[in-house]
Amino acid sequence: MKKNFSFHLLQKVLLTATLLASSKLFAYGVGISTHPLKEKIGMMTTELTGMLSNGKGLGIQARYTRRLNQKITFDIGAGYSDSNRNNRLFFGTDVEFYPDYMKQPRIAARVSIENAKEFETRRNIISIAPTISKGFAFWGKEVFPFLAFPVGLSLNKDTKSYDMRSTVALGATSKIPLNEYRHLIINLEGNISVRNSFSALYMGLSYPLN
């Protein structure tokens, strides 16, 4: 019964994201894919977004994240912004190579595929982001900082051309340090443009769906 519920829930999330993609929507950032999530528990994240360069604007986005097993976590998401970056849908998968253990940091790679309309131009974007993260205890509370280096190939469907884009992503995730809200996860992330991209800030709150 639980498996059927999870399958139907995922169907609803995928359908919702597909419908949202027909509006002025986007999804950005690493999200909570580097956080040590429980297996087969879906997390819904709501994020405030701020584009700081190359198409400035404010917005809100949502993403669904689920850890399938010890090695693989996937997410899908969409959102709304008043910037020139709109009509975007993405799907990402995080693959862990080395776990966060003792003095060893977690090392993984996030692969994502996007279809986006940016500045009135339709683009397909394929990217990979090597990531490194490590859990630390501050005053008895765990925080998981991460560093990622997204590099992507942006294909321009209209002109049949392409360009490379890259950013540096730095952030952290943590459970809310209050006993009655410890099932909630907060995340803060900053992206810095390196080439053909944009700088941005994201702040989110995640809660379990099952």
Side-chain angles (χ1 to χ4, degrees):
M1 183 72 178
K2 188 174 181 180
K3 289 184 178 179
N4 290 336
F5 173 78
S6 299
F7 177 74
H8 291 312
L9 176 62
L10 181 57
Q11 279 186 317
K12 290 179 181 180
V13 171
L14 291 172
L15 178 60
T16 301
T18 302
L19 292 174
L20 287 174
S22 64
S23 303
K24 293 184 176 180
L25 301 169
F26 67 89
Y28 296 121
V30 175
I32 61 170
S33 61
T34 62
H35 191 86
L37 302 171
K38 293 182 179 180
E39 290 185 27
K40 300 180 181 179
I41 299 295
M43 299 293 293
M44 182 60 72
T45 304
T46 302
E47 293 175 302
L48 298 177
T49 64
M51 309 302 155
L52 306 178
S53 67
N54 192 16
K56 297 180 181 180
L58 298 175
I60 188 170
Q61 68 181 24
R63 69 174 76 224
Y64 175 81
T65 306
R66 188 180 183 90
R67 186 175 184 181
L68 297 180
N69 52 47
Q70 290 184 343
K71 298 292 185 181
I72 298 176
T73 301
F74 82 89
D75 62 6
I76 185 171
Y80 175 81
S81 175
D82 59 4
S83 73
N84 290 318
R85 299 177 179 276
N86 52 35
N87 194 15
R88 175 177 298 215
L89 179 67
F90 89 112
F91 176 83
T93 302
D94 179 281
V95 181
E96 180 183 285
F97 300 115
Y98 298 99
D100 181 351
Y101 180 72
M102 302 294 286
K103 295 184 178 180
Q104 173 183 283
R106 179 183 186 272
I107 299 175
R110 174 181 168 80
V111 179
S112 63
I113 300 174
E114 305 173 46
N115 181 265
K117 189 175 183 180
E118 299 179 342
F119 297 92
E120 303 303 322
T121 300
R122 176 64 59 184
R123 297 178 182 274
N124 293 306
I125 304 165
I126 304 172
S127 63
I128 183 169
T131 64
I132 182 170
S133 59
K134 182 67 180 170
F136 296 94
F138 296 95
W139 301 285
K141 308 301 180 183
E142 282 189 306
V143 179
F144 299 88
F146 65 84
L147 180 65
F149 303 93
V151 178
L153 180 65
S154 177
L155 307 173
N156 189 323
K157 186 177 180 181
D158 298 330
T159 63
K160 301 188 184 304
S161 60
Y162 70 91
D163 61 67
M164 299 295 297
R165 57 176 60 186
S166 59
T167 59
V168 175
L170 178 66
T173 64
S174 179
K175 290 185 177 180
I176 292 182
L178 298 173
N179 290 334
E180 59 269 36
Y181 298 110
R182 285 190 59 79
H183 61 291
L184 302 178
I185 298 172
I186 54 175
N187 65 288
L188 181 64
E189 179 180 347
N191 286 183
I192 301 173
S193 174
V194 176
R195 180 181 180 185
N196 296 327
S197 188
F198 58 91
S199 298
L201 290 175
Y202 313 100
M203 182 173 62
L205 178 66
S206 304
Y207 52 94
L209 293 181
N210 52 347

